[in-house]
Amino acid sequence: MGHWGVKSYEIDEANDAIDAGFDRVHGSAYDDLMDDRNPLTYDQVIAKLANEKTLAAAIEALEEEFGADREQWDEVVRLAFAGIVVRHAEIKVPIDTQSKDSAIAFLREETIEWEEATARKIRREKEIGLLQKA
């Protein structure tokens, strides 16, 4: 796993699926906003474009890459799914009950060993709380 942060969406698998979802929904508009010449930050672009369609498209991209049977997913793919849902929840996109419940379950079951274990534990609890309120 080539993760680069303690947030669930900061792993490569989640990041790639989120990028694919935004590209599928917004196409060239997303590409234009992601251009280095655009003064908006990555977080601002995501906040501007995120919606229920990008959530669904990102999940679809993850399922295309790793299969639609979530019971067969390994812990990294489950974390990526949770990351997609968490990222959208942070931006106040409405989350369907099934996705929210799956993401919470995947976070609670997480067994990945992190270099920054304490920071990840704190972040995981914050993500679960966020999803419970969504």
Side-chain angles (χ1 to χ4, degrees), residues 18 26 59 64 69 85 95 131:
I18 290 168
H26 297 291
I59 291 170
E64 287 173 6
D69 184 356
V85 176
I95 309 295
L131 292 173

Side-chain angles (χ1 to χ4, degrees), residues 106-134:
F106 292 161
L107 288 169
R108 285 188 174 141
E109 297 165 2
E110 182 183 316
T111 60
I112 297 170
E113 293 185 26
W114 293 75
E115 283 184 34
E116 299 178 46
T118 301
R120 175 58 192 154
K121 181 180 178 185
I122 292 167
R123 176 60 192 189
R124 182 175 44 252
E125 293 304 316
K126 181 178 180 181
E127 291 176 353
I128 291 169
L130 171 74
L131 292 173
Q132 289 173 328
K133 293 176 186 172

